[in-house]
Amino acid sequence: DIVMTQSPDSLAVSLGERATINCKSSQSLLYTSNNKNCLAWYQQKPGQPPKLLIFWASTRESGVPDRFSGSGSGTDFTLTISSLQAEDVAVYYCQQYYSTPQTFGQGTKLEMK
Amino acid sequence: QVQLQESGPGLVKSSETLSLTCTVSGGSIGNYYWSWIRQPPGKGLEWIGYIYYTGSTNYNPSLKSRVSISVDTSKNQFSLRLSSVTAADTAVYYCVRIRRYSGGPDASDIWGQGTMVTVSS
C-alpha cells in the first residue's frame, strides 16, 4: 500500500493569512501516460462528508474558491490557502488514486488563530 | 445534480453481516466507479473498495475476505456487505462516486451524507 503522510497534524492560522499543508507519499504518484499526479485534496467540516477541492494535484474542482491551490509532483505535495477565511476551518485530507487500495493521509486540522 | 443516499441498519450485532445500499439520484450509474469509504468516530478515512458499473470490483486487501460490493443498474443502486463484523467496524460509512479517466479511477467527486453503523456485542 502507498502510505500518505501529512504535516502538520494541526495548524492555527490568522484570518487572511496563508495556510500550507504538506502531503508526502511513500512512492511516486506520477502517471506517466498523462504526466499528471494522482493526488486529490479534500476538506471535511464537522458532521459533513469530505468535499473534493483539488484533483490531479493541482486542478481545482468546479466551484472551489481560487484561494485554494495545489502543487507538487512525484512524492511531495502541498495544499495552500492563500488567505484564510472563517469558513475554511476544517480537517483536510490528501488521497492517492495512483493504485489500489486508494489511501488517505491522516488529516490536518486547520483552526483559526 | 447527482446525489447519493445511504440506507441500512444503524446497529449490527457482532459477528453478523453489515449491509448498506446507496441510491444514486439525478444521474445514471453508468460510466463511473462507485465506492464505499468509512470513517471511525474521530478518526481518518479508510477506502473499502469500489465497483465499476459493469460489475468489476476492487477491494482493500485488509477487508477483502469479508467485503462484497454489488451494483444494480436497473435500480441505480450499489450495495456493500461486510461479514463477521466487530467493534472495529463501527464507523460512518460513505457511498462515493469516483470519476473515470482513460487509465482508471480518478478522484472521488460526490459523497453521500454518510450513515453511522454501530457494532454491538
Side-chain angles (χ1 to χ4, degrees):
Chain A
D1 299 5
I2 296 177
V3 177
M4 307 297 290
T5 305
Q6 292 181 227
S7 62
D9 289 333
S10 63
L11 180 63
V13 175
S14 300
L15 187 68
E17 295 299 304
R18 178 185 299 260
T20 301
I21 299 170
N22 300 301
C23 177
K24 188 174 184 67
S25 59
S26 61
Q27 65 185 74
S28 176
L29 304 181
L30 182 63
Y31 183 55
T32 53
S33 294
N34 63 5
N35 202 37
K36 294 183 178 182
N37 291 274
C38 302
L39 188 283
W41 288 97
Y42 301 87
Q43 174 194 65
Q44 187 178 32
K45 297 180 179 180
Q48 296 184 20
K51 172 188 173 183
L52 177 63
L53 298 176
I54 302 284
F55 58 100
W56 294 122
S58 60
T59 303
R60 233 179 347 263
E61 177 73 344
S62 176
V64 173
D66 62 6
R67 63 180 180 274
F68 291 91
S69 64
S71 62
S73 185
T75 62
D76 292 281
F77 302 92
T78 300
L79 174 70
T80 301
I81 307 172
S82 60
S83 175
L84 188 73
Q85 303 300 303
E87 60 265 32
D88 301 335
V89 170
V91 178
Y92 292 84
Y93 294 93
C94 61
Q95 179 210 29
Q96 66 81 18
Y97 49 90
Y98 180 86
S99 66
T100 57
Q102 294 186 353
T103 47
F104 293 86
Q106 79 276 18
T108 295
K109 187 174 184 179
L110 177 58
E111 300 173 309
M112 193 75 68
K113 188 185 290 183
Chain B
Q1 72 280 20
V2 175
Q3 293 184 310
L4 308 181
Q5 180 64 59
E6 304 91 350
S7 59
L11 188 63
V12 181
K13 291 184 178 179
S14 183
S15 80
E16 296 190 344
T17 296
L18 178 160
S19 296
L20 296 174
T21 295
C22 182
T23 300
V24 180
S25 60
S28 172
I29 207 165
N31 292 315
Y32 289 95
Y33 294 85
W34 303 92
S35 175
W36 290 95
I37 292 171
R38 69 181 183 179
Q39 185 171 36
K43 296 188 177 181
L45 300 161
E46 180 181 28
W47 180 80
I48 297 171
Y50 65 61
I51 188 165
Y52 194 45
Y53 77 102
T54 56
S56 63
T57 55
N58 194 306
Y59 301 133
N60 192 323
S62 67
L63 299 168
K64 190 172 183 178
S65 63
R66 300 194 291 129
V67 69
S68 175
I69 299 176
S70 59
V71 65
D72 187 335
T73 55
S74 67
K75 294 182 178 178
N76 243 28
Q77 293 178 333
F78 63 105
S79 298
L80 169 70
R81 288 175 57 86
L82 183 66
S83 63
S84 304
V85 297
T86 70
D89 296 310
T90 293
V92 175
Y93 285 76
Y94 295 103
C95 62
V96 181
R97 188 181 83 169
I98 303 177
R99 289 193 296 232
R100 186 182 69 88
Y101 70 103
S102 60
D106 194 325
S108 300
D109 65 340
I110 299 177
W111 296 62
Q113 283 301 305
T115 187
M116 180 69 199
V117 178
T118 301
V119 177
S120 67
S121 55

